[in-house]
Amino acid sequence: KVGHAPSNRDIKGTDQIIKVMQELKSTHGTRFEFQLIEDVPYNKVMQVYKSIDILIDQIYVGWYGGLAVEIMALEKPVLCYIREDDLKFVPQEMAIELPIIKTCPETLKKNLVSVIEMPCEELIELGEKSRQYVEKWHCPRKVVGQLIEEMNLC
């Protein structure tokens, strides 16, 4: 089950994502289900996120956002456009460990086919790497501790 939850359809590339998903229906229709996640009340949206296997975050912006972090914390793989030039702004180890399947409009279809056809074991392993990445690089206690240390706040 492939999910996409746009906060802004234009910025996230939703029309292009829907177009590609419709194209894939004709060749891989029984292998996946697409869920566009919009207008879901907050008290229900986490259940929807838990029900998907893969998230397409966005294909234009160049970096992942809070939703991608939440989905990776649920041990789910994420497809997202990552601007290679921006990787120099994060620690090298973080860039190397980034488990996101780097995707742009030109590679979306190919990457989706690859993930849809991926053996379950590989999909699970990628999900586990995603969770480990979030624990290492997005743990609020670690991030706040680093900020306090770097800014000499305490």
Side-chain angles (χ1 to χ4, degrees), residues 10-29:
D10 291 334
I11 290 172
K12 300 283 187 161
T14 302
D15 290 345
Q16 179 69 22
I17 291 167
I18 291 171
K19 180 182 172 224
V20 168
M21 296 308 291
Q22 290 170 341
E23 290 172 9
L24 286 177
K25 269 292 183 200
S26 65
T27 58
H28 292 78

Side-chain angles (χ1 to χ4, degrees), residues 34-68:
F34 177 62
Q35 182 161 11
L36 184 60
I37 307 163
E38 292 181 303
D39 302 320
V40 178
Y42 179 77
N43 62 341
K44 295 182 180 173
V45 78
M46 282 308 288
Q47 284 307 112
V48 176
Y49 293 157
K50 288 177 183 178
S51 76
I52 64 173
D53 300 299
I54 302 157
L55 175 79
I56 305 169
D57 184 21
Q58 55 79 20
I59 57 170
Y60 294 141
V61 176
W63 200 252
Y64 61 94
L67 175 59

Side-chain angles (χ1 to χ4, degrees), residues 48-151:
V48 176
Y49 293 157
K50 288 177 183 178
S51 76
I52 64 173
D53 300 299
I54 302 157
L55 175 79
I56 305 169
D57 184 21
Q58 55 79 20
I59 57 170
Y60 294 141
V61 176
W63 200 252
Y64 61 94
L67 175 59
V69 173
E70 286 183 50
I71 298 300
M72 288 190 294
L74 293 172
E75 296 187 1
K76 317 256 182 193
V78 172
L79 286 87
C80 180
Y81 174 51
I82 302 293
R83 191 175 298 105
E84 290 294 323
D85 288 346
D86 289 349
L87 290 171
K88 66 185 174 197
F89 297 112
V90 299
Q92 185 177 15
E93 186 180 0
M94 182 182 192
I96 291 168
E97 293 174 4
L98 184 65
I100 288 176
I101 300 164
K102 297 174 187 150
T103 302
C104 65
E106 295 77 28
T107 62
L108 178 60
K109 190 173 188 177
K110 175 183 73 79
N111 288 350
L112 276 168
V113 168
S114 176
V115 173
I116 290 166
E117 294 179 348
M118 188 179 286
C120 282
E121 300 80 26
E122 286 182 38
L123 200 60
I124 290 167
E125 185 179 321
L126 184 55
E128 290 170 351
K129 286 181 182 176
S130 297
R131 172 67 187 216
Q132 292 165 1
Y133 180 85
V134 169
E135 289 175 356
K136 182 172 183 177
W137 296 105
H138 291 286
C139 172
R141 286 190 173 102
K142 287 182 183 178
V143 172
V144 170
Q146 289 170 343
L147 282 173
I148 289 170
E149 186 177 307
E150 288 179 19
M151 299 179 79

